[in-house]
Amino acid sequence: MKIKTDKIKELIAQIETIIVAVKREEKEANTLLEQIHPDYHKSARNLIHYNAFRKFDLRTIQKQLQNLGLTRLAKAEGHLMSSLLKTRFILYSLIGEHPAQDLKAGLSIKNGKRLLTKHTKELLGNRSKGRRVRIMVTLPTQAANDYQMVYDMVLHGMNCARINCAHDNPVIWENIILNVQKASKAIGRKVKITMDLAGPKIRTGYITPGPKIRKFTPKRNESGIVVSPTLLVLVPDIKDSSEPNTLPVELEWLQKLEEGDKLTLTDTRNKKRKLKVIKVGDKQVLLHCGKTCYVSTGTTLECANRALGKVVVGELPAIEQSILLRTNDMLTITRGNQMGVPAKFDEDGNLIEQAIISCQLPEVFDRVKVGETILFDDGKIEGRVESLFSDRIEVRIVRANEKGSKLKAEKGMNFPTTELGISGLTEKDKIDLEFVVKHADVVNFSFVNSKKDVEELLAELEKWDAVDKLSIILKIETRFAFDNLFEILLTAMKVKYIGVMIARGDLAVETGWDAIGKVQEEILTLCGAAHVPVVWATQVLENFAKKGLPSRAEITDATASLKAECVMLNKGPYINDVLQLLDKILSHMEQFHEKNEKMLPKMEKL
């Protein structure tokens, strides 16, 4: 019994050391706490407690507490001081001592939960019946003109409508908002309007366009025999480069064609090809060809069976080029607007000129250092900086697909180990903010990296007298945002109300796929300590939204979102089906999970 008592006394001493450290850190933060909005004062105090608590390695203490059948303090982030004091009191009781202590100091478990519930309701609106976790949906351009689609979204459980200012324009945004408000009123369910500021986008520059050619290929079976001819469509002009089968010709000539006419052309390889008219419309004619042909701008078409004269194929869109990169290749990144070009080789395969591509945000050239990492296209390609010059960066590719990876224009670039010092607010964001302040309930702040970024946003909101009118969701999407989250939260707590979005896609690229699990758990606990609602974002049921069929992994991921207060869905043609499924999953699974606590209802068969 003596050994057990000694161990408990040792454990008490460890707990008291932590309590002293927590109180000391709170005292040192008194000046900071005076600047916190009254609605977040208790939460900020608890966040400071938790930050001090996590400076200790708690694993040994946790195991000892667990062996005594006591709380491991693993889920005490929302009410830390109260949990520490009560744990110490119980430990003293186990050895028959009852020292005087204030068990009511700090937030109780119940009051900690109440604060999170209050902040969530203010930020994200009322919960849906039978479901704690809200659902945020990114609305497509179509939502500006398709009221029925928006109505169905509200009907099927959308709590927050998200508009991304990186796309469309104020006219479209306003029409989307009007449709959301109309549907909300019709159904009797308030839907919050959230708007994303685009933030700075670091992307690859343009690549020299390819030839203005289109390839038409018939379908063949395994033996190479043609089973169906290739389809060509003649039209007066091409409006969209995504129309791969179309060829523009003069309307007057096109309207002379009749079903059954036979045309000829000589393609870019000097191959003669025969085509047959199979269908004639008012402004388009469908043709079949039984052989592969390459048609370019300027190719001549002629009718073989009637004297209609010749016609020349009009302007075709250039083929989008890409740069093929293999492991150990060198890539030059330029500061200016130089067109990107693939690497050039001689007939023997020897490198003549290495690949070049520009970066659309030249500020990075002043910050990046030799040895640092650059990631391209959501991390599909990884490079290391080998040398720096005033006008370019030389990068060695250290990871790509076995057969090489294609890098295209307008693809994202990440600098996970570089302190870029780039403001989260661009000039476009400041212009867009005027609209957001007037029309939205919440502004989603992209590319926040430090408390300085938050202070800049607050300064802009003050200009519009919107500090206490517009709520803020901080998008955590970089390594530096994660590292600085504690001070980012405290700075944002000067206003009401705030939330955090875990932008898991960019965050995974920045922190590494091996670390994203840990990172998102740490964000959840830190926000839990601050009683700040969390939005679980990026690729939730995305395959289902786009293709109409979810994967098993997507269902599991959707269930994991119960740790947050809101789930964000991206747009897709099957979004209303996704909404209905997610609503059922969250409603059904909440009987087993309350935030990060596992619940145990009576076990029943399906």
Side-chain angles (χ1 to χ4, degrees):
M1 183 68 184
K2 180 174 172 45
I3 296 175
K4 185 176 180 182
T5 299
D6 288 345
K7 285 188 175 180
I8 292 176
K9 285 183 176 181
E10 182 182 338
L11 190 53
I12 290 171
Q14 290 174 307
I15 296 291
E16 287 181 334
T17 298
I18 293 172
I19 291 172
V20 169
V22 167
K23 288 182 176 179
R24 181 173 61 247
E25 192 143 331
E26 179 192 339
K27 187 176 181 181
E28 292 172 355
N30 271 340
T31 303
L32 176 62
L33 284 170
E34 290 173 2
Q35 303 172 39
I36 300 297
H37 193 283
D39 282 12
Y40 269 105
H41 192 272
K42 291 180 180 178
S43 299
R45 186 166 169 259
N46 189 71
L47 175 60
I48 291 167
H49 291 169
Y50 185 73
N51 188 60
F53 173 67
R54 288 298 305 276
K55 291 177 180 178
F56 292 86
D57 187 338
L58 301 158
R59 289 172 292 182
T60 301
I61 294 174
Q62 286 182 301
K63 289 177 182 177
Q64 292 171 336
L65 289 171
Q66 184 179 40
N67 290 338
L68 292 169
L70 302 179
T71 173
R72 296 171 60 249
L73 300 171
K75 299 172 183 175
E77 64 267 15
H79 38 81
L80 185 72
M81 181 58 77
S82 176
S83 294
L84 284 171
L85 293 174
K86 287 176 180 175
T87 300
R88 185 179 67 173
F89 177 81
I90 294 171
L91 288 171
Y92 270 120
S93 299
L94 290 175
I95 58 174
E97 296 182 20
H98 300 282
Q101 51 188 324
D102 184 8
L103 292 178
K104 294 185 178 180
L107 284 166
S108 66
I109 295 174
K110 184 180 290 186
N111 286 336
K113 289 182 177 180
R114 281 176 176 169
L115 278 174
L116 178 59
T117 299
K118 176 189 174 186
H119 296 161
T120 302
K121 182 179 178 180
E122 294 291 344
L123 180 75
L124 301 170
N126 292 323
R127 57 183 285 174
S128 294
K129 186 176 180 181
R131 167 163 57 80
R132 174 186 65 84
V133 178
R134 278 70 167 174
I135 299 176
M136 179 184 295
V137 183
T138 304
L139 296 184
T141 305
Q142 182 186 353
N145 304 310
D146 191 342
Y147 170 71
Q148 187 61 46
M149 180 182 72
V150 176
Y151 179 90
D152 290 341
M153 286 181 178
V154 178
L155 183 66
H156 294 145
M158 176 174 71
N159 305 102
C160 307
R162 173 179 176 255
I163 298 170
N164 190 348
C165 293
H167 305 291
D168 302 320
N169 56 59
V171 174
I172 292 175
W173 302 339
E174 186 168 6
N175 286 336
I176 291 174
I177 291 169
L178 290 173
N179 277 339
V180 171
Q181 292 171 340
K182 180 180 176 182
S184 299
K185 186 176 181 180
I187 295 172
R189 184 184 302 154
K190 170 67 176 174
V191 175
K192 291 274 188 173
I193 304 295
T194 72
M195 296 189 72
D196 275 40
L197 298 178
K201 297 297 180 184
I202 310 175
R203 297 188 181 278
T204 55
Y206 296 107
I207 298 174
T208 301
K212 298 179 178 181
I213 292 175
R214 287 195 159 167
K215 179 184 178 182
F216 300 88
T217 308
K219 187 175 180 181
R220 301 174 185 270
N221 62 18
E222 292 82 358
S223 302
I225 299 171
V226 174
V227 292
S228 62
T230 184
L231 176 69
L232 295 82
V233 182
L234 301 183
V235 293
D237 56 66
I238 295 178
K239 296 179 180 179
D240 189 342
S241 60
S242 66
E243 301 171 348
N245 292 328
T246 54
L247 294 174
V249 297
E250 291 179 2
L251 178 61
E252 185 180 351
W253 187 88
L254 181 148
Q255 291 179 330
K256 294 177 182 178
L257 292 175
E258 298 175 354
E259 193 170 318
D261 278 344
K262 295 179 181 180
L263 309 183
T264 61
L265 64 81
T266 301
D267 76 358
T268 58
R269 304 166 301 160
N270 208 30
K271 302 282 187 181
K272 294 190 181 295
R273 293 292 181 250
K274 296 179 181 179
L275 304 91
K276 183 179 180 180
V277 176
I278 60 164
K279 187 175 181 181
V280 175
D282 183 30
K283 289 190 177 181
Q284 70 172 23
V285 173
L286 276 57
L287 312 172
H288 271 170
C289 182
K291 294 183 179 181
T292 299
C293 58
Y294 291 78
V295 181
S296 67
T297 299
T299 296
T300 299
L301 290 172
E302 187 174 2
C303 185
N305 61 302
R306 291 194 298 133
L308 300 181
K310 299 178 181 180
V311 73
V312 173
V313 173
E315 198 72 15
L316 291 170
I319 296 173
E320 183 184 7
Q321 293 283 71
S322 61
I323 295 173
L324 183 65
L325 295 170
R326 298 181 176 85
T327 301
N328 212 38
D329 281 354
M330 291 297 296
L331 174 67
T332 298
I333 303 175
T334 60
R335 182 191 284 264
N337 295 321
Q338 181 179 351
M339 281 284 189
V341 291
K344 295 179 181 178
F345 299 87
D346 62 21
E347 293 180 356
D348 298 321
N350 299 311
L351 179 68
I352 301 173
E353 295 179 19
Q354 66 189 42
I356 298 173
I357 199 161
S358 65
C359 173
Q360 292 188 11
L361 200 67
E363 291 91 331
V364 303
F365 288 80
D366 301 323
R367 295 280 185 162
V368 71
K369 297 181 178 66
V370 171
E372 291 183 331
T373 298
I374 302 180
L375 302 171
F376 303 90
D377 194 7
D378 292 334
K380 295 183 179 70
I381 305 167
E382 180 178 345
R384 291 278 190 276
V385 177
E386 285 213 346
S387 53
L388 296 169
F389 302 90
S390 60
D391 62 342
R392 68 188 189 281
I393 302 171
E394 300 293 340
V395 176
R396 185 170 298 279
I397 303 303
V398 297
R399 179 171 53 79
N401 286 338
E402 185 178 349
K403 295 182 180 179
S405 299
K406 291 181 179 181
L407 179 61
K408 296 183 178 181
E410 295 279 305
K411 292 299 180 182
M413 299 173 67
N414 292 81
F415 296 76
T417 57
T418 305
E419 186 79 68
L420 293 175
I422 299 170
S423 168
L425 277 180
T426 65
E427 289 306 311
K428 179 184 184 302
D429 293 335
K430 292 175 182 178
I431 294 170
D432 292 343
L433 196 57
E434 180 180 1
F435 181 94
V436 174
V437 165
K438 293 177 181 177
H439 296 87
D441 301 299
V442 184
V443 58
N444 296 338
F445 187 26
S446 303
F447 213 79
V448 55
N449 281 309
S450 67
K451 69 176 185 179
K452 182 180 177 183
D453 293 327
V454 179
E455 288 168 350
E456 187 178 358
L457 175 64
L458 297 184
E460 287 297 317
L461 291 179
E462 284 178 1
K463 292 178 182 179
W464 299 105
D465 192 27
V467 171
D468 286 329
K469 298 176 184 176
L470 191 67
S471 299
I472 302 169
I473 290 179
L474 305 157
K475 293 176 67 176
I476 305 304
E477 49 194 327
T478 68
R479 176 189 294 264
F480 295 104
F482 170 69
D483 289 340
N484 297 326
L485 183 57
F486 172 67
E487 61 179 25
I488 286 172
L489 288 173
L490 285 174
T491 305
M493 282 177 171
K494 295 173 184 176
V495 302
K496 63 171 190 181
Y497 287 94
I498 67 169
V500 161
M501 180 182 291
I502 307 179
R504 299 182 300 157
D506 286 315
L507 199 54
V509 173
E510 285 267 335
T511 62
W513 297 103
D514 57 331
I516 185 60
K518 170 196 167 187
V519 167
Q520 63 190 24
E521 288 299 322
E522 292 286 28
I523 293 173
L524 284 164
T525 54
L526 207 58
C527 290
H531 311 118
V532 167
V534 173
V535 181
W536 187 268
T538 313
Q539 294 182 322
V540 177
L541 294 171
E542 189 158 319
N543 191 67
F544 189 9
K546 291 180 177 178
K547 300 180 181 179
L549 188 67
S551 66
R552 286 185 291 273
E554 283 186 319
I555 300 299
T556 304
D557 180 56
T559 303
S561 66
L562 286 162
K563 298 176 183 179
E565 281 65 53
C566 183
V567 186
M568 190 190 88
L569 297 174
N570 271 325
K571 53 196 174 187
Y574 299 94
I575 188 61
N576 272 302
D577 295 327
V578 175
L579 264 168
Q580 292 179 76
L581 176 63
L582 184 59
D583 180 68
K584 288 179 182 178
I585 290 173
L586 295 176
S587 300
H588 177 70
M589 289 303 298
E590 279 187 9
Q591 63 180 312
F592 297 96
H593 290 271
E594 184 178 332
K595 186 66 175 170
N596 60 349
E597 298 176 12
K598 187 173 182 180
M599 309 301 288
L600 297 173
K602 180 181 177 182
M603 188 177 289
E604 297 177 350
K605 294 181 179 180
L606 291 176

